[in-house]
Amino acid sequence: MKIAIIGSGGREHALAHQLSNSKKITKIYSIPGNAGTEEISLNIDLNLENFQDLHDFINKEQIELVVVGPEKPLVEGLVDFLEAKNIKVFGPRKKVAQLEGSKIFTKKICKKFNIPTAKFKICKSKEDSFVFLSSSNFPLVVKADVLAAGKGVYICKNLDEAKTAVNEIFDGKFGKTDQLLIEEFLEGDEMSFFIISDGISYKTFNTAQDHKRVGEGDTGKNTGGMGAYSPSSLINNDLEKKVLKKIIEPTLKAVNEMNEKYIGFLYAGLMIKNNEPYLIEYNVRMGDPECQTILPLIDCDLLEIINACCNSKLYTQEIKWKNKKSMCIALCSKGYPEKYNKNVEIKNLKEFKSSKDSFIFHAGTKSSENKILAVGGRVLNFVNFSNSFSTSRKEIINQIKKLNWEDGFYRSDIGHKVIDE
Ligand code: AMP
Ligand code: GLY
């Protein structure tokens, strides 16, 4: 079977790696991919915004299954476009991808179906927002109602910060908008909770914890994710039941009531307080870097599972997991998440080979004239699974030190809440 994976990050390299273990796959195309995917698949440099070109290529190569990694093409309707041309695609359609594309869309579902989430107010103008803010307690959260790669969320400690957020959002920092969301600030611990669904039934797809802040001890600016570990230490049977009954199932019911089906991965960003879950946000894809820690724990054929989802037959599959702990640490370009240099060579990388429990998934890399260059903020994901988070972290840090890339930095405290040193 020939398959294509859409995207170019660490998540997509991990997907390509896991799928390449399937005996049924004859060829993988990564569109556009990175220097890591190039070693296990054929990279094709196509513009993800040009759906017609994507379709023409997929059709010409007779690709039988397309797996969409990132949110942007999902929210823009790539699945609808390809399905209309009879191509099998794994991922949700445009209408349900609004679960990630519009925070207000999700909040309205939460309200209608009584899904536990932060109390909220939708504001339609600056004036409307300022009136509401003048009688609010702080901290609170102001959110733009667009895809903003995590940047459209402002945690505001006081009225001044909230006013700045409102002004920036309505002045078009994230594109033209006529509404925003103001939310109660939730206390607790965050957890990333995943399911996979075929539109009729669903199965849980493990949990993870990511570290979004750039600095040790979870300090400094927000990033795309400096590292993650799986499973989350917060999960237990009781909590899982609550997440499914109070959050996931009502959401899938809401999707069905729209005459839609949810096919794909669904990622619930949760706040956990006193073993009770609250929905912070939905993402309509795997998390990055959570995906890089979760996929190596799968102990069965991922292709069979994804294919079964596209054929409405997920019930035929048992998803088996290794009883191991998995960790991912991102090696980033110095300066990230602000200014950093591009096209910086990473020497010696070719000497690092994956083993059965250690992997390097590339993110912002490209190969050029037999060299591997860093072209993004998050550059490489070092992953290891073992019997303990502490062992995995030591193993990863040894590897990063061995690579000795002087233009990079990483957080050495990933998993600090679950590792006692
Ligand atoms: P989001 O893009 O909605 O996931 O928000 C990004 C991050 O902001 C989350 O991972 C949380 O750390 C934080 N956050 C968002 N909403 C809230 C909230 N209502 N209360 C506390 N923290 C929040
Ligand atoms: N790890 C956060 C995200 O994928 O959105």
Side-chain angles (χ1 to χ4, degrees):
M1 186 177 201
K2 287 174 157 185
I3 69 160
I5 298 169
I6 306 288
S8 62
R11 169 182 48 214
E12 287 75 28
H13 188 186
L15 280 163
H17 169 82
Q18 196 65 31
L19 287 165
S20 70
N21 294 333
S22 173
K23 293 196 177 62
K24 289 206 177 135
I25 288 184
T26 50
K27 191 163 183 178
I28 303 180
Y29 298 83
S30 292
I31 309 176
N34 57 38
T37 62
E38 204 167 79
E39 290 175 17
I40 50 173
S41 65
L42 184 62
N43 281 0
I44 303 292
D45 193 13
L46 288 176
N47 176 0
L48 298 187
E49 286 176 16
N50 189 333
F51 291 177
Q52 187 61 50
D53 277 3
L54 281 172
H55 166 263
D56 292 347
F57 178 78
I58 289 161
N59 198 37
K60 176 167 79 62
E61 296 296 316
Q62 299 182 321
I63 292 169
E64 291 152 271
L65 170 69
V66 179
V67 178
V68 186
E71 61 277 18
K72 194 161 175 280
L74 293 169
V75 171
E76 288 172 354
L78 179 59
V79 173
D80 312 53
F81 187 89
L82 294 177
E83 271 183 359
K85 295 181 183 299
N86 282 324
I87 287 171
K88 199 192 270 187
V89 203
F90 179 70
R93 293 191 193 132
K94 184 175 181 170
K95 194 165 173 194
V96 283
Q98 282 187 82
L99 284 169
E100 176 161 4
S102 164
K103 291 179 190 298
I104 291 179
F105 174 85
T106 298
K107 282 292 196 188
K108 286 183 176 165
I109 290 179
C110 289
K111 192 165 178 193
K112 185 166 173 203
F113 289 82
N114 239 336
I115 295 172
T117 187
K119 291 195 195 82
F120 66 99
K121 163 98 178 142
I122 298 164
C123 293
K124 303 253 181 211
S125 66
K126 284 189 187 179
E127 293 66 34
D128 201 12
S129 313
F130 295 153
V131 169
F132 180 77
L133 288 171
S134 63
S135 59
S136 297
N137 294 325
F138 290 86
L140 53 66
V141 188
V142 180
K143 294 184 175 182
D145 190 39
V146 289
L147 267 193
K151 296 187 185 81
V153 174
Y154 297 74
I155 313 275
C156 306
K157 289 194 282 303
N158 52 48
L159 184 60
D160 274 355
E161 287 181 11
K163 280 187 169 169
T164 304
V166 168
N167 280 326
E168 286 189 4
I169 293 170
F170 278 122
D171 288 345
K173 184 165 180 185
F174 308 99
K176 207 171 148 347
T177 187
D178 52 12
Q179 51 186 1
L180 56 66
L181 196 61
I182 301 179
E183 258 182 43
E184 166 199 18
F185 178 80
L186 293 174
E187 309 263 2
D189 290 307
E190 284 184 58
M191 174 171 83
S192 305
F193 186 98
F194 299 88
I195 63 146
I196 187 168
S197 169
D198 69 354
I200 297 167
S201 65
Y202 73 87
K203 289 183 190 285
T204 57
F205 205 76
N206 221 326
T207 58
Q209 205 91 34
D210 83 343
H211 292 261
K212 289 199 173 96
R213 304 292 197 95
V214 69
E216 305 270 320
D218 296 319
T219 54
K221 294 226 166 202
N222 256 330
T223 69
M226 297 298 291
Y229 57 92
S230 173
S232 162
S233 59
L234 299 172
I235 195 70
N236 54 58
N237 281 342
D238 181 42
L239 180 60
E240 181 176 302
K241 271 193 205 135
K242 286 179 189 160
V243 174
L244 298 178
K245 291 285 167 236
K246 294 183 175 190
I247 296 179
I248 301 294
E249 290 176 9
T251 303
L252 295 177
K253 184 161 183 263
V255 168
N256 290 343
E257 285 188 9
M258 283 182 249
N259 285 327
E260 288 287 334
K261 290 196 283 190
Y262 195 96
I263 298 174
F265 294 116
L266 179 63
Y267 157 3
L270 303 174
M271 190 68 87
I272 312 297
K273 193 175 178 190
N274 301 330
N275 216 38
E276 287 294 329
Y278 298 84
L279 181 70
I280 300 177
E281 62 156 357
Y282 270 128
N283 297 306
V284 294
R285 49 170 174 86
M286 277 305 284
D288 185 336
E290 290 97 324
C291 185
Q292 293 89 304
T293 62
I294 289 180
L295 292 192
L297 294 177
I298 291 183
D299 211 8
C300 53
D301 187 337
L302 180 62
L303 177 74
E304 296 279 0
I305 298 166
I306 288 181
N307 210 20
C309 280
C310 294
N311 297 333
S312 311
K313 290 210 160 51
L314 181 58
Y315 71 90
T316 62
Q317 301 294 312
E318 186 192 351
I319 308 180
K320 293 191 191 133
W321 298 98
K322 296 185 180 93
N323 186 16
K324 299 279 178 190
K325 312 277 189 199
S326 171
M327 185 173 285
C328 168
I329 301 182
L331 182 60
C332 302
S333 299
K334 274 185 189 158
Y336 175 75
E338 293 177 85
K339 243 177 98 121
Y340 54 86
N341 293 330
K342 288 195 178 167
N343 296 308
V344 182
E345 186 180 359
I346 316 167
K347 292 193 181 124
N348 308 326
L349 188 54
K350 289 199 170 141
E351 288 157 31
F352 286 74
K353 296 276 169 256
S354 291
S355 67
K356 66 174 193 353
D357 50 14
S358 278
F359 316 91
I360 299 179
F361 296 130
H362 290 224
T365 67
K366 75 167 188 194
S367 61
S368 170
E369 295 167 358
N370 220 18
K371 290 181 183 161
I372 296 177
L373 306 179
V375 292
R378 289 187 298 165
V379 179
L380 297 170
N381 297 282
F382 286 73
V383 175
N384 176 274
F385 66 80
S386 71
N387 288 327
S388 77
F389 289 126
S390 162
T391 307
S392 287
R393 187 165 79 182
K394 280 194 196 113
E395 188 55 39
I396 291 171
I397 291 175
N398 276 343
Q399 293 266 314
I400 296 179
K401 284 188 173 153
K402 239 191 252 168
L403 178 67
N404 194 22
W405 183 45
E406 56 194 26
D407 295 280
F409 79 99
Y410 63 99
R411 272 184 63 176
S412 62
D413 69 336
I414 299 301
H416 62 87
K417 287 193 180 162
V418 287
I419 300 175
D420 295 325
E421 294 289 86

